[in-house]
């Protein structure tokens, strides 16, 4: 089993988030949904930044939070 905070696991999670972002690319988010989407993007970018800096604990936290925010939007729009 891979360590949850390993660089490899985080890179896999980042790629998964990118696939999930493709699912919502045609949705025009507005209001609070747009704020949630923007925050998910910010955490995604933060995860990539911290992974590059070898701060895997922070990178892991950021990508997992990003997944949660994006999953909520995908649920609201009937994608999961």
């Amino acid at each position: 089993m891979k360590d949850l905070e390993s660089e490899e696991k985080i890179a896999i999670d980042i790629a998964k988030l990118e696939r999930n972002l493709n699912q919502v690319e045609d949705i025009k988010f507005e209001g609070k949904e747009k704020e949630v989407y923007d925050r998910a993007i910010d955490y995604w970018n933060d995860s990539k930044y911290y992974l590059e800096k070898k701060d895997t604990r922070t990178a892991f936290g950021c990508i997992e939070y990003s997944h949660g925010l994006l999953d909520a939007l995908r649920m609201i729009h009937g994608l999961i």
Side-chain angles (χ1 to χ4, degrees), residues 28-41:
K28 183 171 172 54
F29 295 114
E30 296 180 3
K32 291 292 183 184
E33 283 188 355
K34 176 77 166 104
E35 290 179 38
V36 171
Y37 176 80
D38 289 346
R39 186 147 313 164
I41 296 296

Side-chain angles (χ1 to χ4, degrees), residues 19-45:
R19 288 191 304 273
N20 292 344
L21 284 169
N22 288 334
Q23 280 190 325
V24 300
E25 67 185 1
D26 293 331
I27 298 173
K28 183 171 172 54
F29 295 114
E30 296 180 3
K32 291 292 183 184
E33 283 188 355
K34 176 77 166 104
E35 290 179 38
V36 171
Y37 176 80
D38 289 346
R39 186 147 313 164
I41 296 296
D42 288 344
Y43 277 106
W44 171 51
N45 287 323

